[in-house]
Amino acid sequence: MTEAALSALGSLADPSMLLMLMAGVLAGLIIGLIPGLGGTAAMAILLPLTFGMEPAAALAMLIGALAVVHTSDTVATVLLGAPGSASASVTLLDGYPMARAGQAKRALGLAFLSSMVGGVIGAIGLTIAIPLVRPLVLSFGSPELFMLTVLGISMAAVLSRGNAVKGLVAAALGLLLGMVGTAPTTAEYRFTFGSMLLADGLSLVAVALGAFGLAEIASRAGQKKSNEAPVSLSGGWMAGIREWLSHWTQVIRGSLVGIWAGILPGIGATAGTWLAYGQAVATAKDKSKFGKGDPRGVVGPESANSSIAAGDLIPTLMFGIPGSVPAAMLLGMLLTNGIQAGPSIVTDHLDLMYLIIWSFAIASVVGALLCFVSSKGLARITTVSFSVLGPGLLAIMMLGAYQGSLQVGDLWIMLVLGALGWLLKSTGFPRAPFLIGFVLAVPLERYYFLTDRVYAPSDWLTRPYVLVFIAILAVPALLALRRRFRKDVPAEQDAPPAASAEADGPLADSVWSLTTSVGLLAVFVVAFFLAGSFSDEGRLVPQLVAGVGIALAALLVAREWKGGSFAPPRPERDPEFHADEAIVPTSGTTLVQTPSTVTRWPVVTPMVRNSARTFAWMTVFVVLATLFGYVPALLFFLPAFLLYVAGTRPRTATIYTAVMVSIIAVVPVFLPIHLPGGIFVG
Amino acid sequence: MSITFARSRQSTTVMCVFTALAVAAAFLGGSPFSSAADTADGDFSKETLEVMIPLAEGGGTDTWARFVGQELAPRVTGGPGFSPVNEPGGEGITGSNQFARRAPADGTHLLVSTATSVVPWVLGRSEVNYDFAQMTPVVVNGTGGAIYARKAAGVEGLRDLVDREAPLTFGGISATGLDLTTLVAFDVLGVEQRSIFGFEGRGPVNLAVQRGEVDLDYQTTSAWEPSVGPLLQNGSVVPLVSFGQLDEDGDVVRDANFPDLPTVAEAYEELYGEAPSGPAWEAYTALLGVTYTYQKGLWVPGETTEGASESLRQAADDLSRDKAFNDKAAEVLGGYPLVADDGVKERVAEAYAVDDSVRDYILSLLRDTYDIHLG
């Protein structure tokens, strides 16, 4: 075995192989930088280039790209609040607040170092897994996978401490949206309203980019003045490395969770990354900083998302069961080269296995190093006003999301999810549980039914791993209860709010959050009745989720009602409200001048107005793209937004538009990137 | 004030220029570069074969279509280009519908078919707007498969499938997909089984067999060796019956890739002492044709001129006889040759002429046994 490993390493020393690997790394880094494009796009773009290549060279290039897309997707996530991929939205939770507090460079440094080591640990895991993978995968049946999804959803409560009801309502909403499409066990269409677009379910990329990325653009692009903390670029690389080293246990734990989530088919990269974040929060003594820029919230998930990519390769190569779309494409590439994945790959193609492992490890290190040394330069992007970055970012994100399905409908889904995400964020509903619910909805239902069909409850509930999961779920709850009885301290004080940065929405405790709660209640009620028309099996889980949603939303409405939420929003919650600025009367508002006497904004606060205006522009853009195609829509939207919303100089707007449009119009000529066509132009 | 005024005037100019550009781009985008192709004479020079793959990138059908399309295009008279287009969505229905609606009938646009998009058509689902009976096949490629069972569930041979005390557990993905053919085979043979649907793919079902969660499973030919081979070696499972293949007369014959396994027809004879017949058998042979023997194919719209479609077919026929290609394509084709001889059109048309009685039988089987109500 060592011989094969060394000869594989030797083959990588060949300059042409090394060149391929580095080309893959560079391509992967660039593709990862673009929000919405990830491993799938990297494979789609690179695969056609590998036709006619030796399989070894092709593998080096593809693995090089796959290993690093989750390294560079951190950049947009941390700096702009626009998740570079669905799984990067986990890093957003703590990385973005760090960047907004002026610590962009620190956040990036931690993330890149974690990605590097996560990738290396993933590669080591891949090596060790070769003999172990069979018992490991076989020991995890449907009951264990079901418990894992339950554990994931229970993290919704962990991630919304201090605001558990809102967090759970958000999780229920995510679960419900995740059930749109074809039911996993009965193959009937649910909540699709006859649309074939919805038959496959909402695209994860569109949901994640909409709920986080578009929502961020909407709330920030409208404001002309930046009130961010100035970017701190001080501190050498050594200081960054030293700080990162102090979190080494998080790196190891995150990576191990990642490999494990990658190996298990059916969990997925996004859910796996959430699990890594969840364990970091659940095991931390001081949870108060999570969601506000805790470095552990960056290190854990970043270690995990690199090692997931490695873990993912294990079932792909050993069983021919791809855990993700990029893995499926890799499988196709192997097949066209006459290599059949399966247990025999270890005996027939051991050299290729080691080549994959070495390529992965080398690519992780090189890719992360490249990012690490450029983190200072990258961090400068936060000095550019968001209203200028916003429109270009929107154009790129929408194009990225479009590549998955090639359906213009996905742009609309993104827009709607953007509005929903903005509303949730502004009224204090944490969005992390929402996304967790969304990604786990289908696995939860699938593995529940499989478990229920295959086992009697007495059988599966007593399986050893299931007991372990039950303990993980029950012990913290019991401990909390015991503390409560012993000390008689209110639970809120016991557990300080973790996600409070997100929980304190500027529109929370106002007529806005009351209306939102009522609206969500209505959604759950409608869903409950719509589900009545499904088959018995198809309706069970949706009605259960909707029922729980109704109860929780009703509780929320009652709470808001009692709390007097008929009133307009409170200014002190608003990030745009500054005591010194309040002296200057904002035109059209009846804001009282001194902060001490200001108690309420008007119902439509300046932030709401700005966001609504940005959304209106985005809608215009999507309408134009739907009717006339992407390039014409950009030619109108970009200059208009820059001139009339961002207020840039005409010269800037001209150059900006010309450069953006040229790039977007030319790229499809060379790469398999597709632009929405437009109904009228076809 | 004059500065702001000048600036706003400049802004207006910039906006006007870009809006004019936008309008121009919108018109140019729809420009008639793609005038109707002149391919009636069978010459495809300066054309591009646009192959519609109604599924996402990655996966067996996508790999197949890209591989075959790439090899086929240069062999067509005139050497057209090759451009695969993935239009995923609605389990293959969205892209196939779009092809039926938009594709010009000049041979430059081809549709890839696979069991995923064929079964909803067989079932007559309301979402389906395409009709394979109205299209012309250029080339088809079959696959096969076989059913096996876990020995620990008390199965040593065919007879253990029937007259059981407790039903066997079959692991499935969805009753309205490729599993349908297996379900009809079970109905023909009278297998006592209880189906569990919801697995993500055949790979996970194979793992479930190894975990002892599922007793009965089938795998297609290309997956058989890697997934079932090791289990046959350690003696934990027993192969039972292969689906067989349709021959040129439409009869079920042994699959060359499973030479030692009885077909469903032979298994029936062994169990019941007579040849199978009746509506269940009719449905089985119909499904065998469209989901196995002629499963994957490239199609052109039915109105395509004979010259264009024949030119394509002949190129595919050449390809199917090329030894170098067949060596290279062994894994992608999964052990079944490309078929594009001059009788293919007729045979495929026969196989794809699914009777209403077959459809009715399948719908009632799904309704009565699996509680699935369609149409």
Side-chain angles (χ1 to χ4, degrees):
Chain A
M1 260 179 127
T2 28
E3 197 184 322
L6 288 176
S7 88
L9 184 61
S11 72
L12 274 175
D14 176 355
S16 69
M17 286 287 281
L18 210 55
L19 197 71
M20 281 300 147
L21 181 62
M22 291 307 135
V25 169
L26 275 183
L29 287 178
I30 293 168
I31 292 163
L33 273 178
I34 298 168
L37 297 188
T40 309
M43 294 297 278
I45 290 171
L46 294 180
L47 257 185
L49 304 180
T50 65
F51 286 130
M53 270 189 209
E54 282 292 302
L59 264 182
M61 182 155 109
L62 296 175
I63 297 289
L66 273 188
V68 299
V69 280
H70 286 299
T71 305
S72 61
D73 70 2
T74 313
V75 175
T77 314
V78 165
L79 299 183
L80 305 173
S85 68
S87 62
S89 52
V90 185
T91 311
L92 190 140
L93 242 47
D94 282 289
Y96 186 47
M98 277 174 90
R100 295 200 72 177
Q103 299 176 333
K105 181 170 161 268
R106 179 179 166 220
L108 286 180
L110 287 172
F112 295 146
L113 290 169
S114 307
S115 284
M116 178 196 300
V117 174
V120 173
I121 293 180
I124 296 171
L126 200 54
T127 320
I128 300 173
I130 292 175
L132 289 181
V133 64
R134 199 174 183 79
L136 204 63
V137 169
L138 290 184
S139 65
F140 253 70
S142 318
E144 287 78 13
L145 290 171
F146 172 64
M147 289 309 290
L148 196 62
T149 56
V150 172
L151 182 70
I153 288 166
S154 76
M155 272 166 27
V158 177
L159 295 176
S160 51
R161 274 165 170 275
N163 213 336
V165 180
K166 276 185 168 174
L168 292 173
V169 167
L173 184 67
L175 280 167
L176 203 59
L177 275 187
M179 284 173 200
V180 172
T182 312
T185 59
T186 60
E188 66 192 297
Y189 295 134
R190 295 187 304 196
F191 305 119
T192 58
F193 309 101
S195 152
M196 287 308 290
L197 173 69
L198 296 179
D200 280 339
L202 304 178
S203 132
L204 171 59
V205 176
V207 169
L209 259 60
F212 287 93
L214 284 200
E216 199 55 38
I217 293 181
S219 46
R220 286 184 65 197
Q223 59 190 82
K224 287 188 187 138
K225 208 164 192 176
S226 165
N227 51 27
E228 308 298 292
V231 187
S232 145
L233 295 170
S234 59
W237 289 335
M238 278 320 289
I241 295 174
R242 260 200 301 278
E243 187 196 357
W244 171 78
L245 276 177
S246 69
H247 299 294
W248 67 274
T249 53
Q250 293 289 346
V251 177
I252 308 268
R253 276 192 291 169
S255 307
L256 292 180
V257 170
I259 297 177
W260 187 58
I263 290 178
L264 297 176
I267 294 301
T270 307
T273 314
W274 282 117
L275 283 173
Y277 186 80
Q279 65 82 25
V281 178
T283 55
K285 283 211 183 73
D286 174 17
K287 304 183 205 305
S288 63
K289 296 232 169 53
F290 278 104
K292 292 175 182 165
D294 192 310
R296 291 170 296 183
V298 173
V299 171
E302 278 302 308
S303 315
N305 68 16
S306 295
S307 61
I308 287 175
D312 213 19
L313 293 173
I314 297 170
T316 308
L317 297 169
M318 303 288 291
F319 298 105
I321 301 173
S324 63
V325 181
M329 294 166 80
L330 190 72
L331 215 51
M333 173 269 183
L334 289 173
L335 205 60
T336 48
N337 280 298
I339 299 162
Q340 174 84 53
S344 61
I345 200 170
V346 182
T347 44
D348 299 352
H349 301 286
L350 192 62
D351 50 336
L352 284 186
M353 285 292 288
Y354 278 109
L355 182 78
I356 289 173
I357 291 166
W358 281 115
S359 304
F360 199 96
I362 296 172
S364 301
V365 172
V366 174
L369 273 180
L370 283 178
C371 287
F372 186 68
V373 294
S374 49
S375 54
K376 197 166 175 172
L378 289 168
R380 282 184 208 278
I381 210 175
T382 47
T383 56
V384 181
S385 156
F386 209 87
S387 59
V388 175
L389 287 175
L393 190 59
L394 175 85
I396 293 171
M397 279 203 299
M398 290 221 155
L399 194 60
Y402 179 75
Q403 302 311 311
S405 70
L406 304 183
Q407 306 207 33
V408 183
D410 269 0
L411 304 189
W412 286 97
I413 289 175
M414 224 172 128
L415 192 66
V416 171
L417 260 296
L420 179 69
W422 177 87
L423 197 63
L424 292 181
K425 173 183 141 100
S426 307
T427 53
F429 287 86
R431 286 167 298 169
F434 168 76
L435 200 63
I436 295 175
F438 180 77
V439 293
L440 288 177
V442 168
L444 177 80
E445 191 173 0
R446 179 191 307 278
Y447 295 120
Y448 167 72
F449 277 113
L450 289 181
T451 303
D452 182 55
R453 289 298 134 80
V454 173
Y455 299 92
S458 57
D459 284 343
W460 72 266
L461 281 170
T462 51
R463 285 164 67 101
Y465 284 116
V466 172
L467 289 174
V468 171
F469 278 119
I470 293 175
I472 294 175
L473 283 165
V475 167
L478 290 177
L479 285 179
L481 268 182
R482 201 184 67 166
R483 269 206 303 272
R484 207 170 188 174
F485 280 116
R486 281 250 177 105
K487 285 198 253 163
D488 209 34
V489 181
E492 274 86 333
Q493 277 179 25
D494 210 29
S500 61
E502 219 196 357
D504 291 342
L507 303 178
D509 300 325
S510 74
V511 67
W512 283 94
S513 55
L514 176 67
T515 315
T516 308
S517 307
V518 173
L520 291 178
L521 179 61
V523 167
F524 288 123
V525 170
V526 169
F528 189 88
F529 284 106
L530 281 179
S533 66
F534 305 152
S535 69
D536 291 345
E537 204 174 292
R539 88 164 69 115
L540 176 70
V541 180
Q543 286 201 329
L544 200 68
V545 169
V548 171
I550 290 173
L552 289 167
L555 180 67
L556 206 56
V557 170
R559 239 193 222 182
E560 297 259 340
W561 193 284
K562 259 196 212 152
S565 287
F566 294 103
R570 296 174 197 189
E572 72 270 17
R573 284 182 180 278
D574 199 319
E576 283 175 51
F577 178 84
H578 282 281
D580 52 329
E581 273 181 28
I583 314 289
V584 188
T586 321
S587 62
T589 67
T590 50
L591 183 61
V592 189
Q593 304 213 339
T594 37
S596 54
T597 57
V598 174
T599 50
R600 293 287 179 186
W601 283 114
V603 170
V604 179
T605 68
M607 185 209 66
V608 173
R609 246 199 340 260
N610 279 338
S611 302
R613 194 176 49 170
T614 309
F615 268 119
W617 277 106
M618 292 202 261
T619 312
V620 168
F621 173 66
V622 176
V623 168
L624 288 177
T626 309
L627 296 180
F628 304 108
Y630 211 68
V631 169
L634 279 178
L635 279 171
F636 177 79
F637 167 77
L638 286 179
F641 192 93
L642 289 168
L643 290 170
Y644 300 116
V645 180
T648 59
R649 279 178 302 173
R651 225 172 78 106
T652 318
T654 310
I655 297 172
Y656 189 122
T657 310
V659 171
M660 262 318 270
V661 172
S662 315
I663 293 175
I664 288 183
V666 166
V667 159
V669 178
F670 300 104
L671 298 173
I673 294 277
H674 306 275
L675 300 180
I679 298 174
F680 289 154
V681 247
Chain B
M1 265 336 262
S2 67
I3 296 169
T4 14
F5 178 69
R7 202 162 136 178
S8 89
R9 217 177 49 188
Q10 268 179 23
S11 301
T12 318
T13 319
V14 168
M15 263 328 287
C16 285
V17 170
F18 276 117
T19 310
L21 274 176
V23 173
F27 277 107
L28 269 181
S31 77
F33 281 134
S34 48
S35 56
D38 178 25
T39 53
D41 55 356
D43 185 356
F44 282 73
S45 51
K46 299 201 185 103
E47 303 294 343
T48 296
L49 296 186
E50 194 175 309
V51 175
M52 160 74 80
I53 305 165
L55 298 166
E57 283 138 335
T61 304
D62 180 60
T63 308
W64 180 88
R66 284 167 185 271
F67 192 83
V68 172
Q70 190 159 291
E71 295 282 337
L72 177 66
R75 282 164 211 261
V76 176
T77 317
F82 166 62
S83 154
V85 177
N86 291 80
E87 189 71 50
E91 296 168 310
I93 299 176
T94 308
S96 306
N97 276 346
Q98 191 178 316
F99 182 85
R101 198 169 57 239
R102 286 197 206 154
D106 56 17
T108 57
H109 286 60
L110 295 97
L111 173 68
V112 179
S113 68
T114 178
T116 321
S117 58
V118 167
V119 172
W121 168 76
V122 172
L123 294 174
R125 296 194 79 153
S126 56
E127 299 83 10
V128 171
N129 297 324
Y130 50 90
D131 186 356
F132 288 108
Q134 303 294 326
M135 288 191 250
T136 309
V138 167
V139 57
V140 288
N141 183 205
T143 184
I147 300 170
Y148 65 99
R150 202 163 58 93
K151 281 189 182 163
V155 183
E156 293 291 337
L158 272 177
R159 296 202 173 274
D160 299 318
L161 292 178
V162 295
D163 297 326
R164 295 184 58 86
E165 281 175 13
L168 293 165
T169 306
F170 167 70
I173 301 166
S174 149
T176 54
L178 183 59
D179 292 351
L180 183 60
T181 311
T182 309
L183 299 181
V184 174
F186 287 157
D187 196 44
V188 167
L189 295 173
V191 175
E192 296 198 11
Q193 52 88 27
R194 181 175 77 97
S195 295
I196 297 173
F197 296 105
F199 285 96
E200 295 154 281
R202 300 252 51 98
V205 179
N206 177 259
L207 291 180
V209 171
Q210 298 182 49
R211 284 193 287 259
E213 294 180 341
V214 161
D215 308 323
L216 261 181
D217 176 29
Y218 74 92
Q219 294 287 334
T220 55
T221 310
S222 55
W224 182 267
E225 197 37 52
S227 65
V228 187
L231 309 184
L232 290 172
Q233 262 171 24
N234 69 24
S236 59
V237 302
V238 52
L240 295 168
V241 54
S242 96
F243 294 112
Q245 292 287 322
L246 285 188
D247 70 0
E248 298 183 0
D249 304 321
D251 292 323
V252 178
V253 295
R254 282 218 176 183
D255 186 332
N257 287 289
F258 297 100
D260 304 327
L261 276 187
T263 64
V264 174
E266 292 171 79
Y268 186 89
E269 281 202 59
E270 195 185 320
L271 288 171
Y272 301 103
E274 54 176 357
S277 61
W281 180 245
E282 301 279 311
Y284 178 74
T285 50
L287 282 173
L288 181 65
V290 298
T291 61
Y292 284 96
T293 305
Y294 305 116
Q295 189 211 31
K296 285 187 176 51
L298 291 177
W299 305 71
V300 289
E303 308 83 55
T304 309
T305 53
E306 186 91 10
S309 67
E310 270 300 296
S311 172
L312 291 170
R313 187 194 62 71
Q314 271 164 16
D317 199 25
D318 288 349
L319 185 66
S320 73
R321 292 168 206 280
D322 184 333
K323 188 171 179 308
F325 166 78
N326 280 307
D327 288 347
K328 206 159 71 170
E331 294 288 351
V332 175
L333 298 184
Y336 297 85
L338 287 183
V339 180
D341 58 84
D342 51 13
V344 72
K345 199 169 148 185
E346 210 173 308
R347 294 203 304 282
V348 171
E350 191 135 318
Y352 275 78
V354 178
D355 282 351
D356 282 342
S357 63
V358 163
R359 203 159 271 158
D360 291 343
Y361 157 81
I362 294 171
L363 292 180
S364 62
L365 174 76
L366 287 176
R367 187 174 57 238
D368 302 339
T369 313
Y370 300 98
D371 194 30
I372 292 169
H373 301 260
L374 297 171

